[in-house]
Amino acid sequence: MAIVLFIVAGFLVGGVIQLVKAGASKFSVILVGVLAALATAGGVAWLLPGDGA
């Protein structure tokens, strides 16, 4: 699952770059950036050791 989250984060980061190049609104850039950060954080959290409860 962590791999999927990192792939999604990569696509979202690419989307942020393209939105900035296209001159999109700040709201859309920030929104996609936050989603990318959440996907990355989820991927990292999935890799952390835990009891699974």
Side-chain angles (χ1 to χ4, degrees):
M1 186 64 180
I3 301 293
V4 173
L5 288 171
F6 287 131
I7 291 170
V8 169
F11 279 117
L12 289 171
V13 168
V16 168
I17 293 168
Q18 290 302 316
L19 285 170
V20 169
K21 285 183 180 180
S25 67
K26 289 235 184 235
F27 175 75
S28 61
V29 173
I30 291 171
L31 179 66
V32 177
V34 167
L35 290 175
L38 287 173
T40 303
V44 170
W46 202 277
L47 292 175
L48 294 176
D51 59 359

